[in-house]
Amino acid sequence: MELGITVKSEYAFRILLSIGGCGNKLVSLADASRNMNVPKEFAEKIVLQLRRAGIVKAKRGRSGGYELAKSASQITAYDIVTAVDDVNKIIKCEQDFCGCEDRESCVIKNVVWNKLQRCIKEVLTSVTLQDLLNACGREG
């Protein structure tokens, strides 16, 4: 079993740190991806998903860009991860839970998995984008 935030979720966090760290200033996708070292092709897909989830909004035009759709203190890490990814990908199990040959191992994994899922959701809902901005020393 492997634990961790997926690359896609990490890129979403990076993009939002860039957008949220600029206060009320609009941020271009090119700037956000370059400043946070996110490949542009990933950034485009991720920002689209963040828009659909109501986390960012776009302003078109020559001086357009992206801004947060709501305050950074109202956007949780759970909102971000579920906008671009499947929370279940945070814990990667190499075996199919229903296909375990060893019943005891399967039961153990399922019990542990269920507790981990609850803990992960609890942590992700308790951390806001504002918390991350504060930890990075950004404005927000």
Side-chain angles (χ1 to χ4, degrees):
M1 196 178 297
E2 186 179 320
L3 299 167
I5 298 287
T6 66
V7 171
K8 191 174 184 184
S9 288
E10 182 179 340
Y11 285 163
F13 281 110
R14 287 176 181 230
I15 290 167
L16 288 170
L17 285 171
S18 180
I19 294 170
C22 289
N24 295 328
K25 185 178 153 194
L26 293 173
V27 177
S28 74
L29 184 59
D31 287 343
S33 65
R34 183 178 47 254
N35 294 342
M36 298 307 255
N37 201 24
V38 176
K40 192 171 186 261
E41 61 276 4
F42 284 111
E44 290 170 351
K45 293 174 186 174
I46 289 167
V47 168
L48 179 62
Q49 291 175 301
L50 293 171
R51 281 183 63 198
R52 286 182 184 148
I55 295 172
V56 297
K57 57 185 177 181
K59 298 234 175 163
R60 296 187 186 270
R62 186 177 170 125
S63 59
Y66 291 91
E67 63 185 345
L68 298 179
K70 49 191 168 185
S71 105
S73 62
Q74 294 177 310
I75 301 169
T76 67
Y78 185 79
D79 296 332
I80 297 165
V81 171
T82 57
V84 299
D85 232 329
D86 179 1
V87 177
N88 294 326
K89 289 183 180 179
I90 291 174
I91 299 175
K92 304 165 189 99
C93 182
E94 295 166 4
Q95 301 224 355
D96 178 8
F97 286 119
C98 298
C100 295
E101 292 179 25
D102 177 4
R103 179 164 169 69
E104 289 77 15
S105 292
C106 196
V107 169
I108 293 166
K109 287 179 184 177
N110 277 311
V111 171
V112 172
W113 169 256
N114 288 335
K115 286 189 179 210
L116 277 172
Q117 286 292 83
R118 284 192 298 275
C119 289
I120 288 168
K121 186 172 183 179
E122 184 179 314
V123 169
L124 290 175
T125 55
S126 72
V127 175
T128 67
L129 179 57
Q130 187 62 56
D131 295 331
L132 298 175
L133 288 165
N134 293 344
C136 289
R138 292 182 170 254
E139 198 175 307

